[in-house]
Amino acid sequence: MIGSESLLAIQILGRVRATLGDVEIELGPPKQRAVLALLALQPGHPVSLAEVTAALWEGKPPSSASHLVHTYVARLRQALDSGMPRRQRTNVIGSVPGGYRLTIAEQRIDLQAFRHLAHQATVLRESKQPEHAFLMLGQALAKWEDPQLEDLFALLPQRDEVRLIRQELINATLDYISLGLETGRATSVLSVAERLSEMEPLNEMVQARCLQTLARTGQRVVAMERYAVLRGRLQVELGVDPSPELEAAYREVLDGSGSVGGAVESGSAPDRTWRGRGPVIDGLLGRAEDTRQLVRLLDRHRMVTLTGPPGVGKSALALTVADATRHRYSDGVIVVDLSTARTRQDVLRACAHAFGLPRSRDCEPWMLTEYLDGHQLLLVLDDTELALDDTAALIDDTLRANPGVVVLVTSRELLGMPYEAVYQVRPLAVDAEIPADPAGRPPEPALQLFARRAAQVRPGFRLGPSTWEMVATICRQLDGLPLAIELAAACMRTDTLPELVARLADPLREIRPTRRGGPSHHGSLRAAMYRSFALLDATEQRCFASLGALAEDFCAEAAAAVAREIAGEQWNMPYLLDRLVDKSVLEVYDGTGGRRYRMLATVRALAREMLDRFGYADRALTVRSCRNGCDCLDARAPKLAEYYLIS
Ligand SMILES: Nc1ncnc2c1ncn2[C@@H]1O[C@H](COP(=O)(O)OP(=O)(O)OP(=O)(O)O)[C@@H](O)[C@H]1O
Ligand SMILES: [Mg+2]
């Protein structure tokens, strides 16, 4: 016959309870449960009545304390041996002179079972079997139902053992994490390390292990962030500096020996050659010379910015150049998409994301520069124009702190940094002259691009004598901008070439085929152009709109005359025009009569639309020529609206 003792189990590493097989035994009120817990802390050892009363009443026992303890013990005995015939009762709680003793196989108490397994793990570890030790310690830790031991603390608040037992758990968990890191199981022990770190926020040993685990699972920035917070707390709350152990762990994080370039475990290791958006899928047309020049610029400069009008191909070219030079950088290329970044945190988060790090709520620039520490890589910051100040600050920090990093930027506006090399990306050229024998020479890249994209939506479309001229007209009217050409070609799914040519009278409204897969501002020609308008401040916007009343090509005097007349403003026109040039909505060049400006037809379409927005369209333009007498004022109708917006 099996006695009840052989089935009885007592748990104190969670809710204090006793079970008989699968059945939980009703242990009675808290003080009664506390008696059992106290005895279970030292099984096989006598516990005096005085000790029990002291533990139960925290040193202030009532006069009836002895009597109450006897009653608790009697009831516990009854409960633990419940259902057993008298002869088979085990007397789990035996009486000894002046006290009691719990008589139960040690393995039947979870604390003792834990200690036994933990000891075995230590033996295995000492005999150089870390894998087995890890598994054994895992079994030991599984005995802990509540790492905080809340119930036990509540029942026996004065007992130092409870605190020591909790410390045993912390030590065992630390050993478990160390074994996990030692045996390449950082990912498996991460959640354990995180839980322990929450339990022990100021325990430097615990935090050191957690930092190492985070770093080895590729979360270096999170580890840095945690360290910064912890260092602050240690100084403010405890008035101490980080311990050598914590410092050593942090150094490991910084060295990267636990992350990029080091021991990041397989499965979490990032691709070190290229991260982020890749180069154009079907190759660039007509950019061989640009690519060569940019590769040379990257030889000499640590920061190169590609600037130019909307959709001219800055991003595509930057990625091609990055691809051509990636072999120079032992840690490869990281491409950061900043097309939607507007704030400092947006910029930092986009970088953290591109680096393959988890998004962090309070990412700081130093975390990124420390992440890049010791790395040799090309950092491509793409479409940065909405967050220039914050991007500039990040670049400055990065280049100063990371000598192995080279930055390639694309932006409609240059950043204006002292060491920035600026490369102006021009639209694809389209000859004014149609060749007499088109078949005798290869089409220009702009035409090739149109034909390539048109053939994708209209199989069989080819450039030939019947199509060449119209395609050239389309490309020219779209200023040779690859984005505009692609969008127009996509309209060939439903349009004939003459219909498409007709649409170009109002390109911003008419050229809007379905487009996915690129940045959101490439959804339509208008979206691409409007992004530039949004970059202008209020005065620049008005000035830009007023320029819509001019010919495509004009001088500063003409611009000033128009501004006076239709906007009623005496702006500092050369300065404003320079700002618009910087923002790539205007081009400056040296003409025969001096400095002149040119606006792309697609950009001018937006300026003309904006004439209306600012109420300029109702104004009459009486000036007919500027002081230079050049032909830049060509509005001959009494009202601008009649000339530009209706015709
Ligand atoms: N030379 C080229 N040959 C073929 N396709 C090109 C070329 N240049 C650009 N493209 C294509 O044209 C589109 C617009 O190019 P891209 O995104 O590089 O323009 P962008 O100047 O960066 O525009 P934005 O100022 O809006 O960021 C893309 O689909 C790109 O692949
Ligand atoms: Mg771009």
Side-chain angles (χ1 to χ4, degrees), residues 58-74:
E58 300 175 23
K60 294 179 202 137
S63 53
S64 59
S66 307
H67 175 70
L68 284 169
V69 172
H70 287 312
T71 308
Y72 294 147
V73 170

Side-chain angles (χ1 to χ4, degrees), residues 549 604 608 634-647:
R604 189 160 164 265
R608 284 168 59 169
D634 66 350
R636 287 168 214 101
K639 283 189 180 172
L640 286 172
E642 288 168 46
Y643 185 72
Y644 285 117
L645 306 178
I646 297 169
S647 67

Side-chain angles (χ1 to χ4, degrees), residues 315 382-383 410:
S315 302
D382 196 17
D383 292 343
T410 80

Side-chain angles (χ1 to χ4, degrees), residues 284-285 287 311-316 383 412 482 486 515 521-522:
L284 283 196
L285 296 161
R287 292 294 190 201
V312 74
K314 301 177 291 295
S315 302
D383 292 343
R412 294 188 186 177
E486 285 191 335
R515 183 175 166 106
H521 63 275
H522 284 182

Side-chain angles (χ1 to χ4, degrees), residues 558-576:
V562 166
R564 265 195 309 277
E565 183 134 31
I566 66 167
E569 298 284 359
Q570 295 270 11
W571 286 316
N572 177 349
M573 197 48 86
Y575 167 77
L576 273 179

